[in-house]
Amino acid sequence: TSNEERLGAVGDLNYTINKGEIDDDILVIPGDNIFDFSFTKLIDFFIEKKSPVIAVSDMKDKEIIKKRYSSVVLDPEGKVTSFEEKPEQPKSTLTCPAFFILPRERLELVSEYLFQGHNPDAPGHFLQWLCSAMPVYGLLLQEKRYDIGNIDSYNEANKLFEERE
């Protein structure tokens, strides 16, 4: 009911899973993104891998990764071999915009992560932890998505969409 009582993004996910008695695979999409594509490829990839999967995009700039994003490294089969949230020295320009799918058999990992005292707000920290705990696969999406998590990126996205009209 107030900022002081909020649970954080991962805390909210845990609350929803438990309060809603979710017993199914879940697709998580953060609200601070705009996208105009289907998640069919990611869902098909999830079905193929039978494991947690993340969407990956190429920021093409390591400096941006340092300040605001995760750095992700994939092997040739798409397995995540490295996931670091806002690293000092990014290993790649690939990032995860926190779009991910968890299988029903792994939903308890959200509670476990929080029980261990990890960051309840930033989904990237949960995904970094998840990638260190078990095999996670990433699918590089070529489609556009726009991060609108701060006023500058929001204004930039607005400008791009105005130009498209």
Side-chain angles (χ1 to χ4, degrees):
T1 59
S2 69
N3 280 342
E4 292 74 28
E5 294 175 343
R6 66 184 173 189
L7 302 174
V10 181
D12 288 342
L13 177 60
N14 187 56
Y15 176 83
T16 301
I17 291 167
N18 293 316
K19 188 75 169 178
E21 299 177 3
I22 306 298
D23 183 31
D24 205 347
D25 307 325
I26 60 169
L27 167 63
V28 178
I29 304 168
D32 61 352
N33 283 267
I34 298 173
F35 52 91
D36 59 357
F37 57 87
S38 166
F39 282 90
T40 302
K41 288 183 204 172
L42 189 66
I43 293 166
D44 291 344
F45 188 66
F46 168 73
I47 292 167
E48 173 193 332
K49 295 300 182 182
K50 298 178 178 72
S51 189
V53 299
I54 61 173
V56 177
S57 62
D58 191 345
M59 298 303 293
K60 300 185 185 333
D61 182 350
K62 286 186 177 180
E63 289 304 311
I64 293 173
I65 298 282
K66 287 181 185 181
K67 298 172 188 167
R68 297 185 43 211
Y69 299 107
S70 58
S71 174
V72 176
V73 177
L74 304 175
D75 75 9
E77 286 77 43
K79 183 178 177 188
V80 177
T81 60
S82 176
F83 190 115
E84 296 177 277
E85 184 67 12
K86 297 177 186 73
E88 294 277 327
Q89 299 298 320
K91 293 178 182 171
S92 82
T93 59
L94 299 181
T95 192
C96 173
F99 301 164
F100 61 97
I101 303 176
L102 276 179
R104 81 167 41 123
E105 301 82 24
R106 299 296 189 193
L107 296 182
E108 78 283 349
L109 292 175
V110 179
S111 291
E112 183 179 325
Y113 168 85
L114 293 169
F115 180 76
Q116 291 179 7
H118 297 290
N119 186 323
D121 193 36
H125 291 288
F126 169 70
L127 293 173
Q128 178 176 319
W129 175 85
L130 183 67
C131 290
S132 69
M134 66 178 311
V136 174
Y137 292 85
L139 179 66
L140 181 60
L141 299 177
Q142 303 299 328
E143 294 86 355
K144 293 281 187 193
R145 65 120 191 139
Y146 305 92
D147 177 348
I148 57 167
N150 65 44
I151 193 64
D152 292 334
S153 60
Y154 173 79
N155 286 335
E156 185 178 321
N158 267 337
K159 184 178 176 186
L160 290 170
F161 278 92
E162 285 172 3
E163 290 171 1
R164 282 174 51 174
E165 291 177 3

